[in-house]
Amino acid sequence: VKNQIHSYYAFYNEELKSRIIHNKEMEDRMETALAHHEFCAYFQPKYDTETKELAGAEALVRWNTGDGRIIPPTDFIPVFEENGLIVGLDEFMFREVCRQQREWIDQGRRAVPVSVNLSRYNIFYSSFINKYQDILREYEISPKLVPLEITESVMSEDEVLLRNIIDELHSIGFSVLMDDFGTGYSSMTMLGSMPIDVLKLDKSFVDDIGDSKGEKIIRSIIDLSRGLGIRLTAEGVETEEQYEFLRKMKCDEIQGYYFAKPMPGSDFQALLNTEK
Ligand code: C2E
Ligand code: CA
Ligand code: CA
Ligand code: CA
């Protein structure tokens, strides 16, 4: 019991410490962190629901502070969004994924799309498209191998501008995923006007599987997106029951602890070796 109490307080202190890291300190540390390669990409596999084959991954940033501690993105992304550093971080992640894809292709491994997150600040920051194209050219990577995830909440901002940006991304060859669908304010009707390729059903919906009302809502989202020709990926799938429900509903892809947690590139690479 004493050990448990001790580890509880150790955990509590870590929690508290990370909360106390102030914006200013974060800003200062961001620059050194980039220089010292403290940020890295973790990869969470996505699986084809029907065949259970590896279908791709999502790249998720991790901050490995020199002392062996890993700070989760939820602790620093909000700060980076406030001070604008998120633009540089997203670009770093995009580059990192392109670099990694190039390495895997050169090793003769099976290539699967690895999506990256794009913050609202980047999307409406017009030069990002040119910059991302330069990075694709530098590593000779097809945009098809680096889909872009845009969180649903940006859909409520400037719809016309956003549609134009998505059209431009499509003309280059990018796929566009709508992330966290169901958490923001966008209506179902907006799905019809926004030219997205994949809808990521938020974990909060997946958590409702087992509840008849929740299942009805998921069913109608799946029906609607299928009718509109939008593919569907479910996020945060943790249980067999959730997986089975989504398989019966013919949801296209599954991402979640049920299959795999986010992992370092060296571990993900092993999956590219063994999968046919
Ligand atoms: P997200 O884009 O919705 O990413 C999915 C999050 O859900 C990840 O958390 C992932 O580890 C977690 N997750 C996946 N499957 C499960 C599951 O079965 N159960 C549970 N409980 N969680 C699951 P993570 O890596 O902590 O990232 C949190 C958020 O931080 C992301 O949410 C995204 O909004 C943001 N983020 C991460 N990396 C980046 C990045 O490079 N750029 C930007 N702009 N945002 C990022
Ligand atoms: Ca995402
Ligand atoms: Ca998400
Ligand atoms: Ca989420």
Side-chain angles (χ1 to χ4, degrees), residues 188 201 212-226 245 248-249:
M188 302 267 266
L201 190 66
S212 72
K213 219 167 156 186
E215 289 183 359
K216 279 193 186 110
I217 294 174
I218 296 184
R219 199 167 281 142
S220 64
I221 294 172
I222 292 180
D223 285 346
L224 178 67
S225 54
R226 186 171 304 123
F245 177 82
K248 283 194 198 100
M249 296 306 305

Side-chain angles (χ1 to χ4, degrees), residues 58 117 149 151 178-181 200-203 235 255:
E58 173 178 6
N117 290 284
E149 300 200 2
T151 182
M178 189 197 277
D179 202 358
D180 308 319
F181 182 77
K200 293 191 79 178
L201 190 66
D202 192 69
K203 182 180 190 310
E235 291 193 277
Q255 180 182 350

